[in-house]
Amino acid sequence: MKRDFAPKRFTRTAILTSAFALLSFPLMADSLDSEYSEEAQIAACVAGDQTVPRVLVDVSGIASDEGTLRVQIYGDDPDDFLVSGKKVTRVDVPTLAGQQKVCVTFPNAGEFAMAVMHDKNANGKADIFTEGFGFSNNPSLTFGPPDHEEAVFRVEDGVKEMAIELTYYFQLENKDQKRRRRR
């Protein structure tokens, strides 16, 4: 079993490089709509069949409107979390700067974990130096990826809302470096 995230004992760069392998699959062209409308997607999500589990993901901290926003869902098996090829579903939408909502339909009610990436150059691969990412429940990512237990959540029939804050690790570090130089 190949994990997309390395154990926490590796350096942050090694961890983040391997972490984004989970999001490096080619983009699915049919999931990107050239006439994408966030408002229409939200309305359809909320008004949809209440016997179908959905999550309206409110992603904040999006650095720009470049590229795509990718949301990947993993099941309740901790051994499958962030493992290449083990996602339950994926949604790719054009990116809107700042804050954006994305509707994700689930195959059934149950426990899941979510990973979100801002693929700024829309190449389907993660670039840890410029692209942001986040996880369900917004766990701390200081020393590596979250454990499954930190990101797992329950979804039932109908619509659940969830907020996820993106982190751009190296952009934060650059700001910190500028502050240190001024001192």
Side-chain angles (χ1 to χ4, degrees), residues 112-114 134-140 147-154 160 162-165:
F112 297 89
M114 184 181 311
F135 295 89
S136 45
N137 302 329
N138 292 307
S140 173
D147 293 326
H148 181 262
E149 297 78 35
E150 295 175 290
V152 73
F153 64 96
R154 181 146 188 90
K160 174 186 181 97
M162 178 179 294
I164 294 182
E165 176 76 25

Side-chain angles (χ1 to χ4, degrees), residues 65-139:
D65 62 358
E66 300 170 281
T68 60
L69 193 63
R70 174 173 286 181
V71 180
Q72 287 190 173
I73 306 300
Y74 294 87
D76 64 350
D77 185 348
D79 293 332
D80 289 347
F81 184 52
L82 304 175
V83 174
S84 180
K86 296 290 187 170
K87 69 185 176 307
V88 173
T89 191
R90 178 177 81 203
V91 176
D92 294 312
V93 295
T95 305
L96 304 174
Q99 190 166 354
Q100 179 171 355
K101 292 186 180 186
V102 179
C103 186
V104 181
T105 302
F106 288 72
N108 54 274
E111 291 189 339
F112 297 89
M114 184 181 311
V116 178
M117 180 181 87
H118 175 199
D119 185 9
K120 286 175 82 171
N121 58 6
N123 68 353
K125 298 179 182 176
D127 180 353
I128 60 173
F129 295 103
T130 60
E131 297 176 338
F133 58 97
F135 295 89
S136 45
N137 302 329
N138 292 307

Side-chain angles (χ1 to χ4, degrees), residues 31-61:
S31 68
L32 293 176
D33 183 351
S34 60
E35 298 297 320
Y36 172 75
S37 165
E38 181 184 29
E39 295 81 15
Q41 184 186 49
I42 294 168
C45 189
V46 173
D49 183 353
Q50 294 303 306
T51 63
V52 176
R54 294 178 307 281
V55 173
L56 185 57
V57 185
D58 187 359
V59 183
S60 60

